């Protein structure tokens, strides 16, 4: 009993210490954007890698999310004779909930994993120490541009994903299941507000920042050897995934309350 | 092997430029440095020898402020590095150059960009001047015309030489070498030794070399210090080290396993 209690307290302390380290790391990365503006020759290749090269996977994900939502929702609504509502439900899900979350999860796997592996390799091959000896702050130099690129590009990629998802949902609902095109768009316009679009965007900005900071932090924490880098990459994805899902829940709750407070 | 390591006389031969004073460092439960004191004189080449994993690289990283001691101090040119704020430390590091064990070249940069990295941060040289300095440093390490190569296209010895070119690009006062000849064939190891001597001569730099390669130590050292069990147990000229009466030092420099074979192989 005493041992269990002791180890629980130890775990709690190490959790708090880890949170403290992560906060300091994140603070330096964010402050870095003001201290030293990232150089174009550093940030442009990153934007290429994070943004442009993620477009195919994000389009494919978005299209299938839209189409599978259409299949599921049409099935349910058809039984109730309320197919005309499908546009509102599909498009709301894409814009405010599933679209941002799924895009962020895919990007956490694609770019977050790559960033953690790259920085982890730099750590274990002493490249991060080499940066320090050459007068560069590794957090400013490596993390700040990645954080900024994720903060800007994840929402942009989410927009692409949403757009293709909406098209996918429309094609399945209207062209395949023959839902009335007029009602499909009419109901969408009736139920989806700018507020929902804003909520989706705010969420994806948070997801972008979280992916950037968590994955870079895990890369910087990598232990020696290929196993250390592998573990850092896995931890980066798992931690980002949890941050996305938990963050999404609390943001949904918060924005729901805010909406009620403001408009109802 | 019943000797208990004692602290050696660690004063510098000339005016000390680096002073390590009673430095202790622990990683988890492992005490790596146990009260190290060492002074490095201006213009000398101090070689620190010792078994793998004895804390040589850890000591080197304390000298350039990559690690901070748990207690004790590291002083460079009368400025205490061990407690210096980050921004100030970055400025002081401009006066240092470090060559890493695995070269630590930036994978995503060409050879030219690696060598020019410090120049870009610390000088406002034009692109032409920058290219000229990079070419000159590459010529000094015998790698003429390799500016556009990527680190992945280079052999181990070439990487080490690019690492040296990068370290000397800003013509630092102090050069730190972490195992410069490890993993190289004997000829390439000697090329690196010659380079260390050449750089020392051309830049009149103070050098600290960490190695367990005794041939390299004898060739480049003004003085040799032996690190054992977290302490400096002997310091002397290469001749003094060769004629040492300390059994631990003697065993190490002759590369005799002795009764350590039982510990090593169980």
């Amino acid at each position: 009993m005493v041992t269990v209690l002791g180890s629980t307290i130890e775990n709690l302390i190490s959790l708090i210490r880890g949170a403290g380290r992560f906060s300091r790391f994140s603070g330096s990365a964010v402050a870095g954007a003001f201290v030293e503006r990232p150089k174009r020759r550093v940030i442009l290749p990153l934007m290429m890698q994070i943004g442009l090269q993620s477009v195919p996977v994000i389009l494919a994900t978005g299209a299938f999310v839209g189409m599978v939502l259409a299949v599921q929702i049409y099935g349910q609504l058809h039984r109730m004779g309320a197919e005309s509502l499908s546009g509102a439900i599909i498009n709301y899900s894409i814009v405010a909930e599933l679209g941002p979350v799924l895009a962020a999860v895919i990007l956490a796997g694609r770019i977050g994993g790559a960033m953690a592996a790259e920085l982890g390799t730099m750590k274990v091959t002493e490249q991060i120490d080499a940066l320090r000896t050459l007068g560069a702050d590794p957090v400013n130099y490596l993390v700040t541009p990645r954080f900024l690129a994720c903060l800007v590009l994840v929402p942009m990629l989410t927009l692409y994903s949403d757009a293709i998802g909406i098209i996918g949902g429309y094609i399945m609902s209207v062209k395949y299941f023959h839902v009335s095109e007029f009602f499909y768009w009419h109901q969408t316009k009736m139920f989806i507000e700018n507020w929902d679009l804003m909520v989706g965007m705010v969420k994806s900005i948070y997801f972008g920042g979280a992916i950037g900071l968590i994955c870079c932090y895990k890369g910087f924490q990598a232990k020696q050897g290929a196993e250390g880098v592998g573990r850092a990459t896995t931890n980066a994805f798992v931690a980002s995934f949890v941050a996305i899902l938990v963050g999404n829940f609390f943001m949904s709750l918060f924005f729901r309350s805010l909406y009620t407070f403001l408009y109802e | 092997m019943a000797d208990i390591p004692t602290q050696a006389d660690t004063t510098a031969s000339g005016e000390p430029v680096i002073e390590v004073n009673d430095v202790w460092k622990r990683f988890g439960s492992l005490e790596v440095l146990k009260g190290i004191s060492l002074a490095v004189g201006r213009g000398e080449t101090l070689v620190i020898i010792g078994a793998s994993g004895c804390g040589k690289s850890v000591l080197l990283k304390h000298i350039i402020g990559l690690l901070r001691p748990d207690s004790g101090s590291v002083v460079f040119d009368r400025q205490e590095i061990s407690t210096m704020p980050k921004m100030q430390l970055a400025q002081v590091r401009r006066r240092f150059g470090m060559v890493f064990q695995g070269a630590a070249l930036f994978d995503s940069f060409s050879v030219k960009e690696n060598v020019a990295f410090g120049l870009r941060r610390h000088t406002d040289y034009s692109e032409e001047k920058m290219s000229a300095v990079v070419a000159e440093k590459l010529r000094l390490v015998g790698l003429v015309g390799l500016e556009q190569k990527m680190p992945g296209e280079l052999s181990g010895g070439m990487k080490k030489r690019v690492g040296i070119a990068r370290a000397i690009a800003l013509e630092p006062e102090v050069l730190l070498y972490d195992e410069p000849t490890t993993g190289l064939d004997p000829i390439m190891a000697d090329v690196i030794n010659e380079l260390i001597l050449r750089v020392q001569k051309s830049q009149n730099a103070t050098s600290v070399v960490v190695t367990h390669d005794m041939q390299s130590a004898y060739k480049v050292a003004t003085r040799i210090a032996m690190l054992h069990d977290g302490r400096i147990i002997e310091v002397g000229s290469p001749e003094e080290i060769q004629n040492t009466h300390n059994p631990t030092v003697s065993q190490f420099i002759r590369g005799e396993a002795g009764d350590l074979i039982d510990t090593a192989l169980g």
Side-chain angles (χ1 to χ4, degrees):
Chain A
M1 184 65 192
V2 174
T3 326
V4 172
L5 192 68
S7 89
T8 311
I9 291 171
E10 247 172 50
N11 287 342
L12 199 65
I13 290 171
S14 99
L15 196 72
I16 293 168
R17 276 203 187 130
R21 274 197 300 270
F22 177 66
S23 307
R24 269 208 310 277
F25 178 87
S26 303
S28 311
V30 175
F34 303 98
V35 175
E36 186 184 333
R37 215 179 56 180
K39 302 257 183 322
R40 188 184 291 194
R41 45 190 281 282
V42 174
I43 205 161
L44 278 183
L46 276 175
M47 292 190 114
M48 178 81 138
Q49 186 192 346
I50 292 170
L52 203 60
Q53 290 174 9
S54 301
V55 170
V57 70
I58 215 73
L59 290 185
T61 320
F64 281 99
V65 167
M67 289 193 292
V68 82
L69 271 174
V71 173
Q72 291 297 326
I73 287 166
Y74 175 81
Q76 300 292 319
L77 293 179
H78 182 62
R79 272 189 248 163
M80 296 182 266
E83 306 92 291
S84 60
L85 279 174
S86 58
I89 300 175
I90 292 167
N91 292 328
Y92 174 80
S93 305
I94 289 173
V95 166
E97 287 294 339
L98 269 181
V101 170
L102 286 176
V105 169
I106 294 293
L107 291 170
R110 207 199 91 79
I111 56 181
M115 285 192 307
E118 187 186 3
L119 297 186
T121 307
M122 288 186 78
K123 163 94 187 295
V124 302
T125 56
E126 295 184 306
Q127 291 178 55
I128 289 180
D129 280 343
L131 277 175
R132 283 199 185 100
T133 64
L134 292 162
D137 179 332
V139 174
N140 285 4
Y141 190 79
L142 296 171
V143 181
T144 302
R146 283 168 174 78
F147 164 68
L148 291 177
C150 286
L151 202 66
V152 173
L153 292 172
V154 169
M156 287 176 75
L157 290 164
T158 304
L159 279 179
Y160 286 170
S161 164
D162 287 357
I164 199 88
I166 290 170
I167 295 170
Y170 161 77
I171 290 172
M172 285 307 288
S173 304
V174 176
K175 303 292 177 196
Y176 188 78
F177 292 121
H178 305 294
V179 173
S180 154
E181 186 167 356
F182 171 78
F183 283 114
Y184 188 85
W185 292 119
H186 179 71
Q187 297 290 0
T188 300
K189 269 190 255 170
M190 286 266 296
F191 285 100
I192 297 180
E193 301 171 39
N194 288 338
W195 174 267
D196 301 314
L197 288 170
M198 189 275 292
V199 169
M201 278 300 98
V202 171
K203 282 181 178 177
S204 65
I205 291 169
Y206 159 80
F207 296 151
I211 292 170
L213 291 175
I214 291 171
C215 296
C216 290
Y217 177 73
K218 292 292 178 187
F220 266 57
Q221 297 288 310
K223 299 273 187 296
Q224 281 301 317
E227 193 198 343
V229 176
R231 191 166 295 166
T233 311
T234 311
N235 288 346
F237 178 67
V238 172
S240 310
F241 191 53
V242 171
I244 289 165
L245 293 184
V246 173
N248 182 54
F249 169 72
F250 284 107
M251 278 190 288
S252 295
L253 210 59
F254 169 75
F255 283 116
R256 182 66 243 155
S257 309
L258 190 64
Y259 184 85
T260 312
F261 175 73
L262 292 175
Y263 299 110
E264 286 177 7
Chain B
M1 284 289 302
D3 65 297
I4 298 163
T6 52
Q7 295 289 4
D9 174 20
T10 53
T11 48
S13 46
E15 177 206 348
V17 64
I18 298 165
E19 290 170 89
V20 178
N21 303 312
D22 195 25
V23 163
W24 291 74
K25 184 70 180 178
R26 165 192 288 273
F27 294 104
S29 59
L30 187 68
E31 194 93 66
V32 181
L33 304 180
K34 301 174 183 170
I36 298 260
S37 292
L38 196 63
V40 189
R42 198 175 290 279
E44 79 166 328
T45 300
L46 176 75
V47 174
I48 300 168
I49 57 170
S52 298
C54 75
K56 304 187 295 291
S57 301
V58 170
L59 175 58
L60 205 62
K61 286 181 178 179
H62 276 84
I63 293 176
I64 197 170
L66 288 174
L67 291 172
R68 299 206 188 233
D70 296 336
S71 70
S73 66
V74 178
V75 178
F76 167 66
D77 204 12
R78 299 191 191 89
Q79 295 172 279
E80 187 165 340
I81 284 192
S82 35
T83 52
M84 200 175 265
K86 239 171 36 172
M87 299 286 265
Q88 201 185 339
L89 193 55
Q91 286 309 310
V92 172
R93 283 194 188 126
R94 189 201 179 293
R95 299 165 68 187
F96 282 85
M98 182 157 177
V99 180
F100 288 85
Q101 191 174 348
L105 300 183
F106 305 127
D107 297 327
S108 52
F109 288 173
S110 65
V111 166
K112 180 186 171 184
E113 286 306 316
N114 266 283
V115 179
F117 192 91
L119 296 168
R120 285 196 194 281
R121 294 199 70 81
H122 294 289
T123 68
D124 49 7
Y125 288 173
S126 65
E127 203 57 41
E128 292 76 45
K129 168 97 177 173
M130 190 102 61
S131 302
V133 174
V134 170
E136 187 218 323
K137 300 304 172 194
L138 286 177
R139 186 188 53 75
L140 195 69
V141 299
L143 294 174
V144 177
L146 290 191
E147 280 91 336
Q148 299 314 321
K149 290 268 184 209
M150 297 303 284
E153 300 172 82
L154 305 177
S155 68
M158 287 162 118
K159 281 185 188 163
K160 283 265 165 84
R161 286 189 280 164
V162 175
I164 294 176
R166 183 175 69 181
I168 62 174
L170 281 163
E171 304 195 341
E173 294 161 50
V174 178
L175 276 159
L176 307 176
Y177 298 87
D178 189 2
E179 309 265 8
T181 57
T182 300
L184 300 179
D185 66 70
I187 308 288
M188 187 47 69
D190 201 46
V191 168
I192 300 292
N193 292 336
E194 288 292 342
L195 255 178
I196 293 172
L197 290 171
R198 192 197 286 188
V199 167
Q200 206 275 337
K201 208 173 282 177
S202 69
Q203 309 214 157
N204 196 27
T206 304
S207 307
V208 181
V209 182
V210 150
T211 188
H212 47 59
D213 172 356
M214 287 314 299
Q215 234 174 333
S216 172
Y218 293 141
K219 184 152 189 171
V220 302
T222 316
R223 285 189 306 149
I224 297 176
M226 167 118 183
L227 184 61
H228 177 75
D229 193 25
R231 295 178 176 89
I232 299 288
I233 55 165
E234 182 121 354
V235 184
S237 66
E239 294 72 32
E240 286 168 340
I241 292 290
Q242 270 174 307
N243 300 319
T244 183
H245 296 297
N246 184 319
T248 310
V249 180
S250 175
Q251 185 187 15
F252 181 80
I253 62 174
R254 285 172 182 78
E256 291 159 353
D259 55 3
L260 285 176
I261 193 115
D262 299 330
T263 323
L265 301 179

